[in-house]
Amino acid sequence: MNLDKCLPVDPDISGIGVRGAIYAQNFLFFLSLVVYLWDKRVTPGELAGIREQSIGNLAVAFSILITTIILAKGLGSQGPAISSFHAAIVLDLSWMNNTSTWIWFILFAHQRSTIKSRCTDPTWSAW
């Protein structure tokens, strides 16, 4: 077996615990979203709950992206401290976390556009 062809081991990124935690976090987010939307209405309280969960997911996404950028640039005069394989895993996990923010934004736009009492002007300040 030629060890030069093997990927470097980095359980901090590609380990089952890290991936499992991010998968579980996103699964629970989507599960709570299904519970919130079961009555086919988005109340302001439900929207606030989805927003808070999205902010938590975004914090995780940006923290792993920033860490990956630092590791990819190299520490000091050394070369990159992360392989392309592990950088791709981080990007995949980060995209998964960013999806929750888009869902919140779509629900926010839907709620703002369906308010019966007043219309929202199509300007940035009105939103």
Side-chain angles (χ1 to χ4, degrees):
M1 182 172 159
N2 189 358
L3 294 178
D4 294 335
K5 304 271 183 191
C6 293
L7 291 171
V9 177
D10 193 354
D12 290 340
I13 296 171
S14 61
I16 191 71
V18 173
R19 290 182 297 144
I22 293 202
Y23 297 152
Q25 180 184 21
N26 283 289
F27 175 75
L28 291 174
F29 172 77
F30 287 113
L31 182 66
S32 66
L33 187 66
V34 167
V35 170
Y36 284 150
L37 297 176
W38 197 258
D39 60 355
K40 298 181 179 152
R41 286 187 33 224
V42 180
T43 65
E46 292 170 344
L47 193 62
I50 294 169
R51 183 188 71 224
E52 294 301 321
Q53 289 175 338
S54 294
I55 290 171
N57 276 357
L58 240 129
V60 171
F62 280 121
S63 65
I64 63 176
L65 277 177
I66 290 170
T67 303
T68 302
I69 290 169
I70 291 170
L71 290 174
K73 294 298 278 179
L75 305 171
S77 62
Q78 302 163 350
I82 189 170
S83 68
S84 299
F85 171 73
H86 291 100
I89 289 176
V90 168
L91 289 174
D92 290 342
L93 295 175
S94 182
W95 270 110
M96 207 180 318
N97 281 339
N98 286 333
T99 304
S100 63
T101 304
W102 284 106
I103 291 172
W104 170 77
F105 178 73
I106 290 168
L107 290 174
F108 176 74
H110 173 71
Q111 186 203 34
R112 290 296 303 246
S113 65
T114 58
I115 296 175
K116 302 280 191 241
S117 61
R118 65 178 179 89
C119 292
T120 304
D121 295 330
T123 60
W124 286 109
S125 61
W127 284 85

